[in-house]
PDB file of all heavy atoms in Angstrom:
ATOM      1  N   LYS B 239       4.154-108.374-198.414  1.00 88.00           N
ATOM      2  CA  LYS B 239       3.509-108.077-199.703  1.00 88.00           C
ATOM      3  C   LYS B 239       4.442-108.431-200.846  1.00 88.00           C
ATOM      4  O   LYS B 239       4.037-109.034-201.837  1.00 88.00           O
ATOM      5  CB  LYS B 239       3.151-106.595-199.755  1.00 88.00           C
ATOM      6  CG  LYS B 239       1.822-106.281-199.094  1.00 88.00           C
ATOM      7  CD  LYS B 239       1.316-104.918-199.501  1.00 88.00           C
ATOM      8  CE  LYS B 239       1.928-103.875-198.613  1.00 88.00           C
ATOM      9  NZ  LYS B 239       1.446-102.533-198.818  1.00 88.00           N
ATOM     10  N   ALA B 241       6.782-110.579-200.837  1.00 92.00           N
ATOM     11  CA  ALA B 241       6.937-112.023-200.966  1.00 92.00           C
ATOM     12  C   ALA B 241       5.788-112.618-201.758  1.00 92.00           C
ATOM     13  O   ALA B 241       5.983-113.519-202.577  1.00 92.00           O
ATOM     14  CB  ALA B 241       7.001-112.662-199.579  1.00 92.00           C
ATOM     15  N   THR B 242       4.579-112.107-201.527  1.00 92.00           N
ATOM     16  CA  THR B 242       3.447-112.607-202.305  1.00 92.00           C
ATOM     17  C   THR B 242       3.655-112.322-203.778  1.00 92.00           C
ATOM     18  O   THR B 242       3.425-113.175-204.627  1.00 92.00           O
ATOM     19  CB  THR B 242       2.142-111.936-201.840  1.00 92.00           C
ATOM     20  OG1 THR B 242       2.078-111.978-200.435  1.00 92.00           O
ATOM     21  CG2 THR B 242       0.951-112.659-202.433  1.00 92.00           C
ATOM     22  N   HIS B 243       4.113-111.125-204.080  1.00 93.00           N
ATOM     23  CA  HIS B 243       4.330-110.782-205.489  1.00 93.00           C
ATOM     24  C   HIS B 243       5.422-111.611-206.108  1.00 93.00           C
ATOM     25  O   HIS B 243       5.436-111.825-207.313  1.00 93.00           O
ATOM     26  CB  HIS B 243       4.707-109.300-205.602  1.00 93.00           C
ATOM     27  CG  HIS B 243       3.586-108.391-205.249  1.00 93.00           C
ATOM     28  ND1 HIS B 243       2.377-108.438-205.880  1.00 93.00           N
ATOM     29  CD2 HIS B 243       3.497-107.428-204.313  1.00 93.00           C
ATOM     30  CE1 HIS B 243       1.578-107.521-205.350  1.00 93.00           C
ATOM     31  NE2 HIS B 243       2.229-106.894-204.405  1.00 93.00           N
ATOM     32  N   LEU B 244       6.349-112.084-205.280  1.00 94.00           N
ATOM     33  CA  LEU B 244       7.453-112.866-205.830  1.00 94.00           C
ATOM     34  C   LEU B 244       7.139-114.353-205.871  1.00 94.00           C
ATOM     35  O   LEU B 244       8.007-115.155-206.195  1.00 94.00           O
ATOM     36  CB  LEU B 244       8.716-112.623-204.995  1.00 94.00           C
ATOM     37  CG  LEU B 244       9.309-111.235-205.181  1.00 94.00           C
ATOM     38  CD1 LEU B 244      10.371-110.966-204.148  1.00 94.00           C
ATOM     39  CD2 LEU B 244       9.888-111.115-206.587  1.00 94.00           C
ATOM     40  N   GLY B 245       5.928-114.722-205.494  1.00 92.00           N
ATOM     41  CA  GLY B 245       5.525-116.108-205.700  1.00 92.00           C
ATOM     42  C   GLY B 245       5.501-116.967-204.451  1.00 92.00           C
ATOM     43  O   GLY B 245       5.366-118.176-204.538  1.00 92.00           O
ATOM     44  N   VAL B 246       5.623-116.358-203.240  1.00 93.00           N
ATOM     45  CA  VAL B 246       5.584-117.159-202.028  1.00 93.00           C
ATOM     46  C   VAL B 246       4.145-117.280-201.550  1.00 93.00           C
ATOM     47  O   VAL B 246       3.436-116.287-201.479  1.00 93.00           O
ATOM     48  CB  VAL B 246       6.428-116.483-200.919  1.00 93.00           C
ATOM     49  CG1 VAL B 246       6.301-117.252-199.622  1.00 93.00           C
ATOM     50  CG2 VAL B 246       7.865-116.392-201.353  1.00 93.00           C
ATOM     51  N   ASP B 247       3.722-118.471-201.213  1.00 92.00           N
ATOM     52  CA  ASP B 247       2.396-118.662-200.636  1.00 92.00           C
ATOM     53  C   ASP B 247       2.508-118.341-199.151  1.00 92.00           C
ATOM     54  O   ASP B 247       2.723-119.222-198.315  1.00 92.00           O
ATOM     55  CB  ASP B 247       1.935-120.098-200.852  1.00 92.00           C
ATOM     56  CG  ASP B 247       0.486-120.296-200.417  1.00 92.00           C
ATOM     57  OD1 ASP B 247      -0.073-119.398-199.757  1.00 92.00           O
ATOM     58  OD2 ASP B 247      -0.083-121.357-200.720  1.00 92.00           O
ATOM     59  N   VAL B 248       2.397-117.061-198.844  1.00 92.00           N
ATOM     60  CA  VAL B 248       2.722-116.600-197.496  1.00 92.00           C
ATOM     61  C   VAL B 248       1.869-117.291-196.448  1.00 92.00           C
ATOM     62  O   VAL B 248       2.347-117.680-195.379  1.00 92.00           O
ATOM     63  CB  VAL B 248       2.546-115.067-197.415  1.00 92.00           C
ATOM     64  CG1 VAL B 248       2.752-114.589-195.995  1.00 92.00           C
ATOM     65  CG2 VAL B 248       3.534-114.381-198.330  1.00 92.00           C
TER      66      VAL B 248
ATOM     67  N   GLN G  74      -4.114-103.635-207.821  1.00 92.00           N
ATOM     68  CA  GLN G  74      -4.076-104.902-207.085  1.00 92.00           C
ATOM     69  C   GLN G  74      -5.035-105.918-207.665  1.00 92.00           C
ATOM     70  O   GLN G  74      -4.768-107.121-207.624  1.00 92.00           O
ATOM     71  CB  GLN G  74      -4.380-104.663-205.614  1.00 92.00           C
ATOM     72  CG  GLN G  74      -3.257-103.925-204.914  1.00 92.00           C
ATOM     73  CD  GLN G  74      -3.561-103.735-203.449  1.00 92.00           C
ATOM     74  OE1 GLN G  74      -3.917-104.676-202.767  1.00 92.00           O
ATOM     75  NE2 GLN G  74      -3.430-102.518-202.984  1.00 92.00           N
ATOM     76  N   LEU G  75      -6.136-105.448-208.226  1.00 93.00           N
ATOM     77  CA  LEU G  75      -7.031-106.394-208.884  1.00 93.00           C
ATOM     78  C   LEU G  75      -6.370-106.969-210.121  1.00 93.00           C
ATOM     79  O   LEU G  75      -6.464-108.159-210.401  1.00 93.00           O
ATOM     80  CB  LEU G  75      -8.337-105.689-209.284  1.00 93.00           C
ATOM     81  CG  LEU G  75      -9.305-105.424-208.142  1.00 93.00           C
ATOM     82  CD1 LEU G  75     -10.381-104.445-208.561  1.00 93.00           C
ATOM     83  CD2 LEU G  75      -9.947-106.730-207.689  1.00 93.00           C
ATOM     84  N   VAL G  76      -5.673-106.102-210.867  1.00 94.00           N
ATOM     85  CA  VAL G  76      -4.974-106.588-212.050  1.00 94.00           C
ATOM     86  C   VAL G  76      -3.875-107.566-211.630  1.00 94.00           C
ATOM     87  O   VAL G  76      -3.613-108.558-212.314  1.00 94.00           O
ATOM     88  CB  VAL G  76      -4.385-105.400-212.835  1.00 94.00           C
ATOM     89  CG1 VAL G  76      -3.479-105.894-213.940  1.00 94.00           C
ATOM     90  CG2 VAL G  76      -5.506-104.556-213.407  1.00 94.00           C
ATOM     91  N   ALA G  77      -3.225-107.289-210.494  1.00 93.00           N
ATOM     92  CA  ALA G  77      -2.145-108.158-210.045  1.00 93.00           C
ATOM     93  C   ALA G  77      -2.662-109.503-209.564  1.00 93.00           C
ATOM     94  O   ALA G  77      -1.887-110.438-209.375  1.00 93.00           O
ATOM     95  CB  ALA G  77      -1.364-107.475-208.917  1.00 93.00           C
ATOM     96  N   GLY G  78      -3.964-109.581-209.322  1.00 91.00           N
ATOM     97  CA  GLY G  78      -4.521-110.852-208.869  1.00 91.00           C
ATOM     98  C   GLY G  78      -4.477-111.057-207.374  1.00 91.00           C
ATOM     99  O   GLY G  78      -4.785-112.130-206.868  1.00 91.00           O
ATOM    100  N   ILE G  79      -4.105-110.022-206.641  1.00 90.00           N
ATOM    101  CA  ILE G  79      -4.028-110.173-205.180  1.00 90.00           C
ATOM    102  C   ILE G  79      -5.400-110.040-204.556  1.00 90.00           C
ATOM    103  O   ILE G  79      -5.742-110.745-203.616  1.00 90.00           O
ATOM    104  CB  ILE G  79      -3.113-109.092-204.601  1.00 90.00           C
ATOM    105  CG1 ILE G  79      -1.724-109.254-205.174  1.00 90.00           C
ATOM    106  CG2 ILE G  79      -3.056-109.205-203.111  1.00 90.00           C
ATOM    107  CD1 ILE G  79      -0.833-108.142-204.787  1.00 90.00           C
ATOM    108  N   LEU G  80      -6.200-109.109-205.074  1.00 89.00           N
ATOM    109  CA  LEU G  80      -7.551-108.961-204.565  1.00 89.00           C
ATOM    110  C   LEU G  80      -8.518-109.711-205.466  1.00 89.00           C
ATOM    111  O   LEU G  80      -8.365-109.698-206.685  1.00 89.00           O
ATOM    112  CB  LEU G  80      -7.944-107.484-204.552  1.00 89.00           C
ATOM    113  CG  LEU G  80      -7.221-106.570-203.568  1.00 89.00           C
ATOM    114  CD1 LEU G  80      -7.744-105.155-203.723  1.00 89.00           C
ATOM    115  CD2 LEU G  80      -7.415-107.061-202.150  1.00 89.00           C
ATOM    116  N   PRO G  81      -9.498-110.362-204.878  1.00 90.00           N
ATOM    117  CA  PRO G  81     -10.509-111.009-205.735  1.00 90.00           C
ATOM    118  C   PRO G  81     -11.536-109.977-206.189  1.00 90.00           C
ATOM    119  O   PRO G  81     -12.052-109.218-205.369  1.00 90.00           O
ATOM    120  CB  PRO G  81     -11.141-112.032-204.784  1.00 90.00           C
ATOM    121  CG  PRO G  81     -10.971-111.453-203.432  1.00 90.00           C
ATOM    122  CD  PRO G  81      -9.739-110.587-203.456  1.00 90.00           C
ATOM    123  N   VAL G  87     -10.225-110.538-214.529  1.00 94.00           N
ATOM    124  CA  VAL G  87      -8.999-110.051-215.141  1.00 94.00           C
ATOM    125  C   VAL G  87      -8.348-111.227-215.838  1.00 94.00           C
ATOM    126  O   VAL G  87      -8.016-112.221-215.199  1.00 94.00           O
ATOM    127  CB  VAL G  87      -8.037-109.487-214.075  1.00 94.00           C
ATOM    128  CG1 VAL G  87      -6.739-109.042-214.706  1.00 94.00           C
ATOM    129  CG2 VAL G  87      -8.696-108.358-213.316  1.00 94.00           C
ATOM    130  N   LEU G  89      -5.257-112.648-218.147  1.00 94.00           N
ATOM    131  CA  LEU G  89      -3.919-112.475-218.698  1.00 94.00           C
ATOM    132  C   LEU G  89      -3.668-113.633-219.640  1.00 94.00           C
ATOM    133  O   LEU G  89      -3.577-114.776-219.209  1.00 94.00           O
ATOM    134  CB  LEU G  89      -2.879-112.462-217.567  1.00 94.00           C
ATOM    135  CG  LEU G  89      -1.441-112.244-217.987  1.00 94.00           C
ATOM    136  CD1 LEU G  89      -1.267-110.866-218.593  1.00 94.00           C
ATOM    137  CD2 LEU G  89      -0.517-112.398-216.789  1.00 94.00           C
ATOM    138  N   LEU G  92      -6.013-116.374-218.977  1.00 92.00           N
ATOM    139  CA  LEU G  92      -6.116-116.989-217.658  1.00 92.00           C
ATOM    140  C   LEU G  92      -6.600-115.960-216.643  1.00 92.00           C
ATOM    141  O   LEU G  92      -6.131-114.827-216.633  1.00 92.00           O
ATOM    142  CB  LEU G  92      -4.761-117.513-217.186  1.00 92.00           C
ATOM    143  CG  LEU G  92      -4.156-118.669-217.961  1.00 92.00           C
ATOM    144  CD1 LEU G  92      -2.726-118.896-217.495  1.00 92.00           C
ATOM    145  CD2 LEU G  92      -4.976-119.936-217.743  1.00 92.00           C
ATOM    146  N   ALA G  93      -7.518-116.381-215.773  1.00 92.00           N
ATOM    147  CA  ALA G  93      -7.989-115.478-214.722  1.00 92.00           C
ATOM    148  C   ALA G  93      -6.905-115.370-213.665  1.00 92.00           C
ATOM    149  O   ALA G  93      -6.549-116.366-213.025  1.00 92.00           O
ATOM    150  CB  ALA G  93      -9.280-116.025-214.110  1.00 92.00           C
ATOM    151  N   VAL G  94      -6.412-114.158-213.440  1.00 93.00           N
ATOM    152  CA  VAL G  94      -5.211-114.041-212.585  1.00 93.00           C
ATOM    153  C   VAL G  94      -5.464-114.413-211.141  1.00 93.00           C
ATOM    154  O   VAL G  94      -4.570-114.919-210.461  1.00 93.00           O
ATOM    155  CB  VAL G  94      -4.597-112.614-212.662  1.00 93.00           C
ATOM    156  CG1 VAL G  94      -4.119-112.330-214.051  1.00 93.00           C
ATOM    157  CG2 VAL G  94      -5.590-111.590-212.201  1.00 93.00           C
ATOM    158  N   HIS G  95      -6.663-114.144-210.643  1.00 91.00           N
ATOM    159  CA  HIS G  95      -6.859-114.414-209.222  1.00 91.00           C
ATOM    160  C   HIS G  95      -6.887-115.902-208.920  1.00 91.00           C
ATOM    161  O   HIS G  95      -6.603-116.334-207.806  1.00 91.00           O
ATOM    162  CB  HIS G  95      -8.155-113.775-208.715  1.00 91.00           C
ATOM    163  CG  HIS G  95      -8.329-113.967-207.240  1.00 91.00           C
ATOM    164  ND1 HIS G  95      -7.490-113.354-206.332  1.00 91.00           N
ATOM    165  CD2 HIS G  95      -9.200-114.703-206.537  1.00 91.00           C
ATOM    166  CE1 HIS G  95      -7.855-113.709-205.118  1.00 91.00           C
ATOM    167  NE2 HIS G  95      -8.899-114.533-205.206  1.00 91.00           N
ATOM    168  N   SER G  96      -7.212-116.707-209.924  1.00 90.00           N
ATOM    169  CA  SER G  96      -7.310-118.134-209.650  1.00 90.00           C
ATOM    170  C   SER G  96      -5.958-118.815-209.714  1.00 90.00           C
ATOM    171  O   SER G  96      -5.828-119.983-209.394  1.00 90.00           O
ATOM    172  CB  SER G  96      -8.256-118.787-210.660  1.00 90.00           C
ATOM    173  OG  SER G  96      -7.710-118.642-211.963  1.00 90.00           O
ATOM    174  N   LEU G  97      -4.931-118.101-210.128  1.00 91.00           N
ATOM    175  CA  LEU G  97      -3.612-118.726-210.217  1.00 91.00           C
ATOM    176  C   LEU G  97      -2.983-118.829-208.832  1.00 91.00           C
ATOM    177  O   LEU G  97      -3.269-118.030-207.942  1.00 91.00           O
ATOM    178  CB  LEU G  97      -2.699-117.866-211.118  1.00 91.00           C
ATOM    179  CG  LEU G  97      -3.127-117.711-212.571  1.00 91.00           C
ATOM    180  CD1 LEU G  97      -2.206-116.717-213.264  1.00 91.00           C
ATOM    181  CD2 LEU G  97      -3.112-119.038-213.289  1.00 91.00           C
ATOM    182  N   SER G  98      -2.092-119.799-208.686  1.00 91.00           N
ATOM    183  CA  SER G  98      -1.351-119.891-207.425  1.00 91.00           C
ATOM    184  C   SER G  98      -0.326-118.763-207.387  1.00 91.00           C
ATOM    185  O   SER G  98       0.071-118.246-208.430  1.00 91.00           O
ATOM    186  CB  SER G  98      -0.634-121.230-207.338  1.00 91.00           C
ATOM    187  OG  SER G  98       0.467-121.230-208.221  1.00 91.00           O
ATOM    188  N   PRO G  99       0.114-118.375-206.192  1.00 92.00           N
ATOM    189  CA  PRO G  99       1.089-117.275-206.120  1.00 92.00           C
ATOM    190  C   PRO G  99       2.319-117.535-206.976  1.00 92.00           C
ATOM    191  O   PRO G  99       2.864-116.618-207.585  1.00 92.00           O
ATOM    192  CB  PRO G  99       1.453-117.222-204.630  1.00 92.00           C
ATOM    193  CG  PRO G  99       0.310-117.811-203.925  1.00 92.00           C
ATOM    194  CD  PRO G  99      -0.281-118.821-204.850  1.00 92.00           C
ATOM    195  N   ARG G 100       2.726-118.762-207.042  1.00 93.00           N
ATOM    196  CA  ARG G 100       3.926-119.078-207.809  1.00 93.00           C
ATOM    197  C   ARG G 100       3.701-118.845-209.293  1.00 93.00           C
ATOM    198  O   ARG G 100       4.503-118.203-209.980  1.00 93.00           O
ATOM    199  CB  ARG G 100       4.297-120.532-207.523  1.00 93.00           C
ATOM    200  CG  ARG G 100       5.158-121.170-208.586  1.00 93.00           C
ATOM    201  CD  ARG G 100       5.744-122.485-208.103  1.00 93.00           C
ATOM    202  NE  ARG G 100       7.152-122.289-207.858  1.00 93.00           N
ATOM    203  CZ  ARG G 100       7.677-122.021-206.681  1.00 93.00           C
ATOM    204  NH1 ARG G 100       6.920-121.955-205.629  1.00 93.00           N
ATOM    205  NH2 ARG G 100       8.946-121.807-206.551  1.00 93.00           N
ATOM    206  N   THR G 101       2.590-119.368-209.813  1.00 93.00           N
ATOM    207  CA  THR G 101       2.314-119.213-211.236  1.00 93.00           C
ATOM    208  C   THR G 101       2.125-117.747-211.584  1.00 93.00           C
ATOM    209  O   THR G 101       2.551-117.271-212.626  1.00 93.00           O
ATOM    210  CB  THR G 101       1.040-119.991-211.625  1.00 93.00           C
ATOM    211  OG1 THR G 101       0.996-121.170-210.858  1.00 93.00           O
ATOM    212  CG2 THR G 101       1.033-120.328-213.085  1.00 93.00           C
ATOM    213  N   ARG G 102       1.440-117.058-210.680  1.00 94.00           N
ATOM    214  CA  ARG G 102       1.210-115.634-210.896  1.00 94.00           C
ATOM    215  C   ARG G 102       2.521-114.887-210.997  1.00 94.00           C
ATOM    216  O   ARG G 102       2.718-114.053-211.865  1.00 94.00           O
ATOM    217  CB  ARG G 102       0.381-115.071-209.742  1.00 94.00           C
ATOM    218  CG  ARG G 102      -0.604-114.066-210.201  1.00 94.00           C
ATOM    219  CD  ARG G 102      -1.680-113.759-209.231  1.00 94.00           C
ATOM    220  NE  ARG G 102      -1.368-113.825-207.838  1.00 94.00           N
ATOM    221  CZ  ARG G 102      -2.176-114.368-206.943  1.00 94.00           C
ATOM    222  NH1 ARG G 102      -3.304-114.917-207.320  1.00 94.00           N
ATOM    223  NH2 ARG G 102      -1.840-114.385-205.674  1.00 94.00           N
ATOM    224  N   ALA G 103       3.446-115.221-210.078  1.00 94.00           N
ATOM    225  CA  ALA G 103       4.712-114.491-210.031  1.00 94.00           C
ATOM    226  C   ALA G 103       5.562-114.765-211.268  1.00 94.00           C
ATOM    227  O   ALA G 103       6.481-114.008-211.563  1.00 94.00           O
ATOM    228  CB  ALA G 103       5.475-114.858-208.767  1.00 94.00           C
ATOM    229  N   GLN G 104       5.274-115.844-211.963  1.00 94.00           N
ATOM    230  CA  GLN G 104       6.027-116.091-213.187  1.00 94.00           C
ATOM    231  C   GLN G 104       5.575-115.180-214.312  1.00 94.00           C
ATOM    232  O   GLN G 104       6.258-115.025-215.318  1.00 94.00           O
ATOM    233  CB  GLN G 104       5.864-117.555-213.626  1.00 94.00           C
ATOM    234  CG  GLN G 104       6.560-118.523-212.700  1.00 94.00           C
ATOM    235  CD  GLN G 104       6.151-119.957-212.981  1.00 94.00           C
ATOM    236  OE1 GLN G 104       5.263-120.208-213.783  1.00 94.00           O
ATOM    237  NE2 GLN G 104       6.787-120.889-212.291  1.00 94.00           N
ATOM    238  N   ARG G 105       4.402-114.596-214.146  1.00 95.00           N
ATOM    239  CA  ARG G 105       3.848-113.805-215.224  1.00 95.00           C
ATOM    240  C   ARG G 105       3.697-112.333-214.882  1.00 95.00           C
ATOM    241  O   ARG G 105       3.694-111.487-215.757  1.00 95.00           O
ATOM    242  CB  ARG G 105       2.469-114.341-215.616  1.00 95.00           C
ATOM    243  CG  ARG G 105       2.497-115.692-216.256  1.00 95.00           C
ATOM    244  CD  ARG G 105       1.103-116.326-216.236  1.00 95.00           C
ATOM    245  NE  ARG G 105       1.082-117.557-217.000  1.00 95.00           N
ATOM    246  CZ  ARG G 105       1.705-118.683-216.648  1.00 95.00           C
ATOM    247  NH1 ARG G 105       2.413-118.717-215.534  1.00 95.00           N
ATOM    248  NH2 ARG G 105       1.639-119.757-217.408  1.00 95.00           N
ATOM    249  N   ILE G 106       3.525-112.048-213.607  1.00 95.00           N
ATOM    250  CA  ILE G 106       3.244-110.674-213.203  1.00 95.00           C
ATOM    251  C   ILE G 106       4.281-110.238-212.182  1.00 95.00           C
ATOM    252  O   ILE G 106       4.552-110.945-211.216  1.00 95.00           O
ATOM    253  CB  ILE G 106       1.848-110.565-212.553  1.00 95.00           C
ATOM    254  CG1 ILE G 106       0.771-111.114-213.486  1.00 95.00           C
ATOM    255  CG2 ILE G 106       1.549-109.124-212.184  1.00 95.00           C
ATOM    256  CD1 ILE G 106      -0.607-111.091-212.876  1.00 95.00           C
ATOM    257  N   ALA G 107       4.849-109.052-212.416  1.00 95.00           N
ATOM    258  CA  ALA G 107       5.803-108.500-211.460  1.00 95.00           C
ATOM    259  C   ALA G 107       5.289-107.153-210.988  1.00 95.00           C
ATOM    260  O   ALA G 107       4.752-106.380-211.768  1.00 95.00           O
ATOM    261  CB  ALA G 107       7.173-108.346-212.096  1.00 95.00           C
ATOM    262  N   MET G 108       5.467-106.901-209.695  1.00 94.00           N
ATOM    263  CA  MET G 108       4.935-105.668-209.110  1.00 94.00           C
ATOM    264  C   MET G 108       6.068-104.860-208.488  1.00 94.00           C
ATOM    265  O   MET G 108       6.938-105.399-207.805  1.00 94.00           O
ATOM    266  CB  MET G 108       3.904-106.021-208.032  1.00 94.00           C
ATOM    267  CG  MET G 108       3.417-104.875-207.242  1.00 94.00           C
ATOM    268  SD  MET G 108       1.994-104.072-208.016  1.00 94.00           S
ATOM    269  CE  MET G 108       0.713-104.491-206.863  1.00 94.00           C
ATOM    270  N   ALA G 131      10.120-117.621-208.167  1.00 92.00           N
ATOM    271  CA  ALA G 131       8.937-118.328-208.657  1.00 92.00           C
ATOM    272  C   ALA G 131       9.273-119.325-209.760  1.00 92.00           C
ATOM    273  O   ALA G 131       8.461-120.177-210.094  1.00 92.00           O
ATOM    274  CB  ALA G 131       7.911-117.318-209.165  1.00 92.00           C
ATOM    275  N   HIS G 132      10.467-119.219-210.309  1.00 91.00           N
ATOM    276  CA  HIS G 132      10.806-120.102-211.419  1.00 91.00           C
ATOM    277  C   HIS G 132      11.564-121.299-210.891  1.00 91.00           C
ATOM    278  O   HIS G 132      12.713-121.205-210.516  1.00 91.00           O
ATOM    279  CB  HIS G 132      11.661-119.345-212.443  1.00 91.00           C
ATOM    280  CG  HIS G 132      10.922-118.202-213.082  1.00 91.00           C
ATOM    281  ND1 HIS G 132      10.192-118.353-214.233  1.00 91.00           N
ATOM    282  CD2 HIS G 132      10.799-116.915-212.711  1.00 91.00           C
ATOM    283  CE1 HIS G 132       9.645-117.187-214.561  1.00 91.00           C
ATOM    284  NE2 HIS G 132      10.002-116.305-213.650  1.00 91.00           N
ATOM    285  N   GLN G 183      12.146-111.427-212.951  1.00 94.00           N
ATOM    286  CA  GLN G 183      11.052-112.398-212.995  1.00 94.00           C
ATOM    287  C   GLN G 183      10.675-112.745-214.426  1.00 94.00           C
ATOM    288  O   GLN G 183       9.927-113.685-214.653  1.00 94.00           O
ATOM    289  CB  GLN G 183       9.808-111.833-212.287  1.00 94.00           C
ATOM    290  CG  GLN G 183       9.916-111.797-210.787  1.00 94.00           C
ATOM    291  CD  GLN G 183       8.692-111.161-210.140  1.00 94.00           C
ATOM    292  OE1 GLN G 183       8.733-110.024-209.722  1.00 94.00           O
ATOM    293  NE2 GLN G 183       7.621-111.911-210.071  1.00 94.00           N
ATOM    294  N   ARG G 184      11.158-111.972-215.390  1.00 93.00           N
ATOM    295  CA  ARG G 184      10.793-112.154-216.793  1.00 93.00           C
ATOM    296  C   ARG G 184       9.276-112.248-216.947  1.00 93.00           C
ATOM    297  O   ARG G 184       8.747-113.237-217.434  1.00 93.00           O
ATOM    298  CB  ARG G 184      11.444-113.399-217.387  1.00 93.00           C
ATOM    299  CG  ARG G 184      12.949-113.272-217.532  1.00 93.00           C
ATOM    300  CD  ARG G 184      13.477-114.172-218.642  1.00 93.00           C
ATOM    301  NE  ARG G 184      14.923-114.177-218.679  1.00 93.00           N
ATOM    302  CZ  ARG G 184      15.685-115.262-218.520  1.00 93.00           C
ATOM    303  NH1 ARG G 184      15.126-116.433-218.261  1.00 93.00           N
ATOM    304  NH2 ARG G 184      16.990-115.151-218.596  1.00 93.00           N
ATOM    305  N   PRO G 185       8.596-111.208-216.497  1.00 94.00           N
ATOM    306  CA  PRO G 185       7.141-111.278-216.503  1.00 94.00           C
ATOM    307  C   PRO G 185       6.541-110.928-217.855  1.00 94.00           C
ATOM    308  O   PRO G 185       7.238-110.462-218.757  1.00 94.00           O
ATOM    309  CB  PRO G 185       6.770-110.211-215.468  1.00 94.00           C
ATOM    310  CG  PRO G 185       7.832-109.185-215.640  1.00 94.00           C
ATOM    311  CD  PRO G 185       9.084-109.912-216.021  1.00 94.00           C
ATOM    312  N   LEU G 186       5.243-111.164-217.954  1.00 94.00           N
ATOM    313  CA  LEU G 186       4.507-110.650-219.101  1.00 94.00           C
ATOM    314  C   LEU G 186       3.981-109.259-218.767  1.00 94.00           C
ATOM    315  O   LEU G 186       3.873-108.391-219.620  1.00 94.00           O
ATOM    316  CB  LEU G 186       3.321-111.562-219.425  1.00 94.00           C
ATOM    317  CG  LEU G 186       3.675-112.986-219.835  1.00 94.00           C
ATOM    318  CD1 LEU G 186       2.420-113.831-219.936  1.00 94.00           C
ATOM    319  CD2 LEU G 186       4.410-112.991-221.170  1.00 94.00           C
ATOM    320  N   LEU G 187       3.633-109.085-217.511  1.00 95.00           N
ATOM    321  CA  LEU G 187       2.968-107.886-217.050  1.00 95.00           C
ATOM    322  C   LEU G 187       3.812-107.231-215.984  1.00 95.00           C
ATOM    323  O   LEU G 187       4.221-107.875-215.031  1.00 95.00           O
ATOM    324  CB  LEU G 187       1.604-108.302-216.479  1.00 95.00           C
ATOM    325  CG  LEU G 187       0.531-107.258-216.237  1.00 95.00           C
ATOM    326  CD1 LEU G 187       0.177-106.570-217.520  1.00 95.00           C
ATOM    327  CD2 LEU G 187      -0.705-107.956-215.683  1.00 95.00           C
ATOM    328  N   LEU G 189       3.826-104.203-213.270  1.00 96.00           N
ATOM    329  CA  LEU G 189       2.943-103.245-212.607  1.00 96.00           C
ATOM    330  C   LEU G 189       3.761-102.364-211.692  1.00 96.00           C
ATOM    331  O   LEU G 189       4.621-102.847-210.961  1.00 96.00           O
ATOM    332  CB  LEU G 189       1.885-103.989-211.785  1.00 96.00           C
ATOM    333  CG  LEU G 189       1.095-105.086-212.521  1.00 96.00           C
ATOM    334  CD1 LEU G 189       0.154-105.794-211.561  1.00 96.00           C
ATOM    335  CD2 LEU G 189       0.323-104.497-213.672  1.00 96.00           C
TER     336      LEU G 189
END
Side-chain angles (χ1 to χ4, degrees):
Chain B
K239 276 196 275 185
T242 313
H243 292 303
L244 289 169
V246 175
D247 187 348
V248 175
Chain G
Q74 290 182 50
L75 284 166
V76 171
I79 299 173
L80 292 179
V87 177
L89 182 64
L92 294 171
V94 296
H95 184 67
S96 63
L97 297 174
S98 73
R100 158 167 252 96
T101 324
R102 218 164 32 222
Q104 290 168 353
R105 292 163 173 69
I106 305 177
M108 172 88 111
H132 296 270
Q183 286 177 257
R184 291 206 187 120
L186 297 172
L187 195 60
L189 309 176

